[in-house]
Amino acid sequence: MTDRIFGGAMVLLAAFFIWAAYQIQLSFITDPLGPRAFPIVIGVVLGLCGLVIAVKPDPEPGWPALSRIVEILAAAVIFFGYGQLLPELGFLICTFIVGAYLAWRLGCGLIEAIIAGAAVSIGIYVVFHLILGLSLARGPFGF
């Protein structure tokens, strides 16, 4: 029963995602696919996955322990905070914090998590900003 509820919730989320994608304003200068294509594809895949889960549920679903659910919720809060703080702290600092936290929660020691956060933050910055020339949120230090 819980799989059917979860699958139905995924289908509803997918419908909302696709609806939100159609709310994106198009400019007169756009690529052939436009800015709506990627969110619509994600919504369709999410909806299909939700349908499969709802139509063919697991007879004995195994749910994680409460402590694991709390960790998942904590990660969701971290990502929400990432989105809120990105304009103020910038890409490098926010990505470093999130990368280090997630590496720590996935089992790295504190020093390894800090190194992983720095490597992820700098690596993504180099690829997307320096190589591809995409604009990323600038922090208080101007980068």
Side-chain angles (χ1 to χ4, degrees), residues 56-141:
K56 198 171 183 184
D58 186 0
E60 292 293 327
W63 286 89
L66 182 60
S67 63
R68 291 291 180 194
I69 292 174
V70 169
E71 283 192 37
I72 292 169
L73 291 175
V77 168
I78 290 291
F79 279 117
F80 179 78
Y82 179 86
Q84 298 301 310
L85 293 175
L86 195 59
E88 286 81 25
L89 296 180
F91 178 82
L92 279 174
I93 295 171
C94 284
T95 305
F96 166 73
I97 293 168
V98 170
Y101 173 78
L102 292 176
W104 174 63
R105 293 312 310 144
L106 287 171
C108 288
L110 185 59
I111 301 300
E112 291 89 358
I114 291 171
I115 293 169
V120 166
S121 180
I122 293 168
I124 293 173
Y125 182 83
V126 166
V127 169
F128 285 97
H129 185 69
L130 300 180
I131 295 174
L132 296 176
L134 299 175
S135 177
L136 299 174
R138 296 189 180 273
F141 306 114

Side-chain angles (χ1 to χ4, degrees), residues 36-53:
R36 295 178 179 167
F38 184 70
I40 290 172
V41 169
I42 297 297
V44 168
V45 170
L46 178 64
L48 290 174
C49 291
L51 279 175
V52 168
I53 291 171

Side-chain angles (χ1 to χ4, degrees), residues 1-9 53-54 57-63:
M1 182 63 169
T2 56
D3 279 358
R4 291 188 196 275
I5 294 170
F6 182 68
I53 291 171
D58 186 0
E60 292 293 327
W63 286 89

